[in-house]
Amino acid sequence: MSGRVRALRGFPDIGPADTPAWLALEAAVQQVLLRYGYAQVRMPVLEATELFARSVGEATDIVEKEMFSFVDRDKNAMSLRPEGTASAVRLGIDGGLLRNAQSRLWYTGPMFRHERPQAGRYRQFHQVGVENFGTAGALADIEVIAIARDLLQAAGVLGAVTLEINTLGSATARAAYRDQLQQWLRAHADALDEDSRQRIERNPLRVLDSKNPQTQAALADAPRLADSLDEESRAHYAAVLEGLAALDIAWVENPRLVRGLDYYNHCVFEWTTQQLGAQGTVLAGGRYDGLVEQLGGGPVPACGFAMGCERVLLLQQALDCVPQAAPVDVYVCHEGGQGRLQALRLAQTLRQAGWQVLVDGGDGRLKGQIKRAATARARIVSKDEHADFTLLDAQAPAALSEHLQALCPAGAATPS
Ligand code: HAM
């Protein structure tokens, strides 16, 4: 058999032109999370299917139709992780990290959802996730939202995103509201779109964030979550907003924001942008106080979020602020034969002194080599046996050339 084997749909490669932006984002993320004292964890990409069914929720889009699930040779049902929170909770319980402790964890890596691929929506995509365990009060919500703000700022996209926030109330308040809303939806089913009608019995809260304009218009008279909040829920929400104001974090309240995963309660939030069309949610999260217990741990309050790396990078492109690869310092040209060894020695001396150096791979003419040096955005070219350095980049400081000249005076690179 011959011919090309193509990549799977929705599983994009990340090529050399793109990795500088990824590396810059990852470095910025590490720096921000170090400042907040979060420890990195690394979970497997495969987990028992039950983990996601019991956390994300049986009736959610993710579990119902988007997981890559299979039964392995030992007849175990497993799934590629569609998100990181459930795995982080499992890791925390298994590792004894959540017992009577305030645990601050973060992770990054690929997630998998069988969605219809389009710009900003992939079947393999990457998240940076942050999870805070053991703090019931608003301080934890405020902390994770502040981290989110700092991450978006470090990525250079903060100016193009808006923080939308809402409260789902305590688990009891949410359950009471769910029943009330369900009854209203049943009575007004005719005014809803087909998708929303199907959600009435299985996941009524999700009808609230339907994108259908006709459904949105009909919902204007639906009971409001805000009206069924108990005192504790109101106080928690108010404390979060007070903290955000104290940190100069601006927000917009969105009473329709409910999130697509079942484990949330109290404060939920999304950072959204207008610049990426329908895939405008760049980062999202909230509080999930019942989840640890639901997965077999103790009653540990928790909150967190995940940032979609591809969406942040797309936003950098839209804003024309994509970090570029650092230019090569020195490009060593040579004429082949003995010149190759001289070039290698010169490059070694310079690399050991900390410079980034490329040696031309061919034996070709000098003109072609200098062209390749320019393509590599080299600041300086050097010619093997002379170790004499010529500035290519008008921006490169002349001092650099002098410095290198001093390091490798003419003839120093000649084999002895
Ligand atoms: P989520 O809203 O499902 O939440 O995903 C978080 C972010 O991942 C989204 O806002 C988006 O930027 C990105 N994302 C999701 N699906 C795709 C896709 N198909 N292609 C590209 N990017 C995507 C969670 O996953 C929760 N675990 C967040 C969380 C952590 N809540 C508490 N802790």
Side-chain angles (χ1 to χ4, degrees):
M1 272 249 266
S2 62
R4 281 165 61 194
V5 179
R6 296 188 181 272
L8 297 172
R9 208 162 103 80
F11 286 73
D13 289 318
I14 301 171
D18 299 322
T19 43
W22 280 88
L23 290 169
L25 181 63
E26 285 157 10
V29 165
Q30 283 186 27
Q31 209 175 53
V32 169
L33 287 157
L34 204 61
R35 285 189 206 140
Y36 280 88
Y38 278 63
Q40 197 197 41
V41 287
R42 301 182 184 200
M43 297 87 71
V45 293
L46 264 184
E47 298 271 8
T49 298
E50 187 193 354
L51 177 70
F52 304 112
R54 274 172 53 186
S55 54
V56 174
E58 296 271 15
T60 57
D61 284 352
I62 294 179
V63 171
E64 252 184 6
K65 41 190 184 199
E66 293 173 0
M67 287 212 294
F68 286 90
S69 300
F70 63 96
V71 176
D72 80 350
R73 291 165 200 274
D74 304 322
K75 306 215 171 0
N76 295 313
M78 47 186 71
S79 297
L80 283 169
R81 60 181 184 193
E83 60 108 50
T85 306
S87 304
V89 169
R90 185 202 48 68
L91 177 150
I93 297 172
D94 289 351
L97 306 175
L98 310 184
R99 247 179 274 127
N100 304 320
Q102 291 182 11
S103 231
R104 294 177 167 85
L105 307 178
W106 75 278
Y107 49 85
T108 184
M111 307 291 160
F112 306 86
R113 296 184 194 176
H114 197 280
E115 297 191 82
R116 198 161 43 78
Q118 61 185 79
R121 189 165 71 189
Y122 311 99
R123 290 181 173 170
Q124 172 174 304
F125 59 97
H126 295 75
Q127 286 184 342
V128 168
V130 166
E131 314 291 358
N132 180 306
F133 297 100
T135 302
L139 271 182
D141 307 63
I142 300 163
E143 181 170 290
V144 299
I145 294 175
I147 295 174
R149 190 264 314 264
D150 289 5
L151 290 179
L152 295 166
Q153 187 169 40
V157 300
L158 188 62
V161 290
T162 304
L163 170 61
E164 296 183 34
I165 196 161
N166 190 23
T167 179
L168 303 176
S170 62
T172 342
R174 183 182 159 168
Y177 174 69
R178 185 184 186 279
D179 291 346
Q180 200 187 351
L181 179 69
Q182 196 167 46
Q183 280 178 26
W184 187 93
L185 291 172
R186 283 182 190 139
H188 296 82
D190 289 350
L192 307 176
D193 63 280
E194 178 56 32
D195 249 15
S196 296
R197 269 203 296 275
Q198 288 191 1
R199 289 201 159 117
I200 297 177
E201 298 309 319
R202 299 176 63 74
N203 203 349
L205 285 179
R206 286 287 284 166
V207 176
L208 290 182
D209 67 2
S210 157
K211 301 273 182 286
N212 185 293
Q214 176 204 334
T215 299
Q216 276 306 331
L219 287 171
D221 300 326
R224 285 159 31 100
L225 185 68
D227 298 333
S228 60
L229 289 181
D230 52 36
E231 235 356 89
E232 179 221 335
S233 302
R234 282 182 213 280
H236 183 90
Y237 190 44
V240 173
L241 298 184
E242 188 187 16
L244 298 183
L247 296 180
D248 289 326
I249 300 175
W251 70 87
V252 173
E253 285 190 72
N254 177 358
R256 299 252 186 266
L257 182 63
V258 294
R259 308 277 300 119
L261 303 88
D262 277 356
Y263 47 62
Y264 293 108
N265 65 321
H266 284 303
C267 222
V268 290
F269 58 89
E270 294 189 351
W271 293 78
T272 56
T273 179
Q274 302 294 323
Q275 311 253 358
L276 299 181
Q279 312 308 321
T281 308
V282 172
L283 182 156
R287 183 165 275 282
Y288 53 95
D289 288 339
L291 185 60
V292 177
E293 201 163 17
Q294 213 171 302
L295 291 177
V300 178
C303 62
F305 66 81
M307 176 175 89
C309 298
E310 284 80 0
R311 293 191 188 169
V312 169
L313 296 168
L314 281 172
L315 197 47
Q316 287 180 342
Q317 282 172 21
L319 299 174
D320 209 9
C321 66
V322 180
Q324 300 296 317
V328 172
D329 292 318
V330 182
Y331 195 98
V332 184
C333 305
H334 57 86
E335 282 163 352
Q338 277 303 303
R340 273 185 308 194
L341 297 182
Q342 289 160 352
L344 287 175
R345 279 166 158 266
L346 174 59
Q348 177 171 285
T349 310
L350 294 174
R351 286 182 186 130
Q352 281 171 351
W355 301 100
Q356 195 190 341
V357 184
L358 281 183
V359 178
D360 194 88
D363 294 340
R365 297 210 332 251
L366 204 56
K367 207 168 145 202
Q369 298 191 35
I370 290 177
K371 249 192 182 160
R372 283 194 285 276
T375 310
R377 294 171 50 239
R379 286 139 65 92
I380 281 179
V381 277
S382 172
K383 197 156 159 301
D384 50 27
E385 72 267 41
H386 306 302
D388 96 31
F389 299 91
T390 313
L391 285 183
L392 258 195
D393 173 5
Q395 304 295 316
L400 182 60
S401 172
E402 275 170 34
H403 185 105
L404 292 173
Q405 208 88 55
L407 196 68
C408 297
T414 311
S416 46

